[in-house]
Amino acid sequence: MPNARATNPTRRGILAAGGALGLGAVLAACGGDDTKSGGSDASGAAKASGPWTFKDDRGTTVKLDKVPASIVAFTGVAAALYDYGIQVKGVFGPTKTQDGKPDVQAGDMDISKVEILGNVWGQFNVEKYAALAPEVLITTMFDDAGTLWYVPEESKDKIAKLAPSVAVSVYDRQLTQPLERMWALAESLGADLKAEEAVTAKKEFEAAAERLRKAAKARPEIKVMAGSASAELFYVSGTNLSIDLEYFKALGVNFIEPSEKAKAQGGGWFEALSWENVDKYGADIIMMDDRAQATQPAAITEATWKKLPAVKAGQVIPRSPEPILSYGKCTPLLTNLAEAIENAKKVS
């Protein structure tokens, strides 16, 4: 995602920005246990040494003579695969923070054991990528046009010539769909998803979803706002398009929704507010983008923010706009929101 803000947004720039709130923060403001559940054509873990086939969310089928071992992936995808026991060789996307620590999107990966091809939007070292002799590149999509997330427009053709790509859509659908797709993809790559850890993680996710459903039903008066902060603006996300918010809304969570007109400049993802107008919506709980590129709540100094009832009541919780698509990583997202709703004071 770009860190600079452009005046005339392109479709891709709006995606990066909208992903910023549909995902979370605006960085370019203006700028089950079988493969059938995920629709994979893969042979699965039992035949992980044989030919490999996978049909991705573009409808593209990748066929290789063997299960790929040299995998390069967007950081969040690599983190999800890692949770299922699949190690990639290279990553691109937010991987380490300025102080050298793992970025939130890196999950539990040991980032010292992967080649970082790019750490910010627009950065992708093609020479290092080629040196890894990649067999497949895996990333996500935040539009319906097949745009590969964090693969730079200017070098995408060079990158495409080096290895086939697999894309998992995280656009305009509920969280459970990409979770199932990543599960199927991991299994195709050799993950043992019948192992106790994987089975338990999936059951815990389902239990957390039921807890959130019950909490939302019991407290329908609690209004939740999904926000993201930059130095100049505050962004309020609508639930449409974002996999996490669409799913939470389907479970009954009462979200504040900007109008379609208000979201128009944000590509349909979000409404941008000046800090003077940050009190436009009355929220009982505010979910804030937890990614490193967004301003975190503790660093917000604007007086208008500090006066918000939800802020004064301590009812601000983190949100992961780009969830790591493993059941284990998504369960806490459900649990934290359920707990916040259960314990929230009505302040709006």
Side-chain angles (χ1 to χ4, degrees), residues 21 223-227 234-238 255-264 270-286 304-305 307-311 346-348:
L21 231 237
K223 294 188 290 185
V224 180
M225 180 169 67
F234 182 82
Y235 306 93
V236 180
S237 180
F255 279 101
I256 288 168
E257 298 279 3
S259 69
E260 291 305 312
K261 183 179 180 180
K263 293 188 297 181
F270 60 87
E271 176 182 4
L273 298 174
S274 67
W275 283 104
E276 289 76 14
N277 295 315
V278 73
D279 60 353
K280 178 177 179 179
Y281 299 106
D284 301 298
I285 296 171
I286 303 176
T304 49
W305 164 260
K307 290 178 182 178
L308 293 177
V311 176
K346 180 66 181 173
V347 294
S348 64

Side-chain angles (χ1 to χ4, degrees), residues 32-55:
D33 293 349
D34 57 45
T35 56
K36 291 181 182 179
S37 64
S40 168
D41 292 329
S43 55
K47 299 181 180 179
S49 60
W52 186 75
T53 302
F54 193 87
K55 185 175 181 179

